[in-house]
Amino acid sequence: LHYFATSATAIALGLIYAHTAMDTWGIQNRLGALFFILLYLALLSLSSLPLWREERAVFLRERASGAYSTFPYFLTVVFFDIVPLRILPPCLFTLIAYPVIGLQSLSWKGPACFSLVLILANIASTSLSMMIGAASPSTAVANVAASITALVQLLFAGFLLSKADRSLVFHSKVE
């Protein structure tokens, strides 16, 4: 499902931004596309919220019986969530959307750097979602907390609210 949703979203985004001009408006449109991609990956990472909660009873029973310890279980769960769901979809997104949106560079370094940034942002967002999911008393509370956290992060990311406007919110000028 992650691969299908990522492919469909990348194709749709590519169709929307396919013929973006190489002027100031085009740059602004591409920045909007980059913001949307990061927003999409942040929302996709919310699928990791119930990861620890759903398997908690099974893990406690198997650990008590001596089947395995905590560290190998943690590594296995993280590895099998991170690699197929957090690394491959951003690479797929890069392969489809990067050249169509007009983010082309003359070498392989541009798409590689773009993909690396998407992967790191996705892993960071997923790690935060996993932490919220593990610390929350229920999946419903985890969904609300993670959604609010994602919205606050996106608000202060710099695309919706500029740095100058943020300083007006948090620092009052006394004259």
Side-chain angles (χ1 to χ4, degrees):
L1 183 62
H2 278 261
Y3 300 119
F4 174 74
T6 299
S7 299
T9 304
I11 290 169
L13 198 66
L15 291 174
I16 291 169
Y17 292 99
H19 301 291
T20 303
M22 295 293 196
D23 57 3
T24 304
W25 295 109
I27 293 170
Q28 187 174 4
N29 288 338
R30 284 183 186 83
L31 286 174
L34 296 176
F35 181 78
F36 175 80
I37 293 168
L38 290 173
L39 171 66
Y40 171 77
L41 292 174
L43 294 177
L44 198 62
S45 74
L46 294 178
S47 67
S48 66
L49 280 171
L51 187 66
W52 302 107
R53 180 155 316 285
E54 290 176 352
E55 297 179 6
R56 186 173 191 268
V58 174
F59 164 70
L60 291 175
R61 184 179 63 243
E62 291 178 356
R63 188 185 68 169
S65 69
Y68 47 79
S69 64
T70 303
F71 189 66
Y73 172 76
F74 174 78
L75 284 180
T76 303
V77 169
V78 168
F79 180 76
F80 283 103
D81 183 72
I82 295 290
V83 173
L85 299 178
R86 312 303 167 201
I87 293 178
L88 296 179
C91 292
L92 182 63
F93 214 107
T94 300
L95 286 174
I96 296 171
Y98 189 89
V100 179
I101 292 173
L103 301 172
Q104 299 154 340
S105 66
L106 300 176
S107 70
W108 58 272
K109 291 179 184 178
C113 184
F114 181 75
S115 187
L116 180 65
V117 167
L118 292 184
I119 289 168
L120 292 176
N122 199 13
I123 289 174
S125 189
T126 298
S127 299
L128 183 62
S129 292
M130 284 181 177
M131 183 196 73
I132 291 170
S136 298
S138 70
T139 304
V141 172
N143 279 325
V144 171
S147 298
I148 290 172
T149 302
L151 289 173
V152 169
Q153 287 177 335
L154 292 171
L155 176 64
F156 293 108
F159 187 73
L160 299 176
L161 187 64
S162 71
K163 185 177 179 181
D165 291 335
R166 279 184 288 182
S167 65
L168 293 176
V169 171
F170 291 111
H171 302 329
S172 61
K173 294 184 179 181
V174 179
E175 296 192 39

